[in-house]
Amino acid sequence: QLQFVESGGGLVQPGGSLRLSCAASGGTLGNNVIGWFRQAPGKNPEAVSCISSNTWYTDSVKGRFTISRDNAKNTVFLQMNSLKPEDTGIYYCKRGCKENERLPPQYWGQGTQVTVSS
């Protein structure tokens, strides 16, 4: 059983950068697929990037976001560059990828708020 704590969010101007961290506990990352999800106001969380031995990005963040992991630290990161207002939302990490978009609200943790605004 894995638990995740997200951190690193904040208020940033358009064009700025943030690095989010997803610290896992209760087990090791191993070869699990781990995804980052963004919840815009009034919407369900949607996958923006996932990592296993490969990486995947939704089209809107390609070339701007980079997902990585450090298994020794049991942590997954999301480096976000060239941020846009539409990147605003609550960011969650979770085991799995796009299949998690079906989950009801109770399955999501606290997340970390990212606000991109001038």
Side-chain angles (χ1 to χ4, degrees), residues 13-66:
Q13 292 183 264
S17 298
L18 287 171
R19 189 178 79 153
L20 306 184
S21 296
C22 171
S25 62
T28 58
L29 290 177
N31 60 357
N32 284 308
V33 177
I34 307 296
W36 281 100
F37 303 80
R38 178 173 63 213
Q39 183 179 36
K43 301 181 68 176
N44 296 129
E46 60 183 55
V48 298
S49 184
C50 306
I51 186 168
S52 55
S53 57
N54 300 317
T55 58
W56 172 88
Y57 302 90
T58 195
D59 285 345
S60 64
V61 309
K62 287 180 179 176
R64 300 188 297 117
F65 290 12
T66 303

Side-chain angles (χ1 to χ4, degrees), residues 4-13 16-23 36 65 75-81 83 87 89-93 110-116:
F4 301 95
V5 177
E6 304 92 344
S7 62
L11 175 63
V12 65
Q13 292 183 264
S17 298
L18 287 171
R19 189 178 79 153
L20 306 184
S21 296
C22 171
W36 281 100
F65 290 12
T75 301
V76 176
F77 303 95
L78 186 67
Q79 178 67 46
M80 306 187 296
N81 298 326
L83 283 162
D87 296 319
I90 305 172
Y91 284 72
Y92 304 93
C93 61
Q110 294 300 306
T112 186
Q113 176 71 45
V114 171
T115 303
V116 185

Side-chain angles (χ1 to χ4, degrees), residues 1-3 25-28 95:
Q1 183 179 342
L2 288 173
Q3 296 174 278
S25 62
T28 58
R95 180 185 174 190

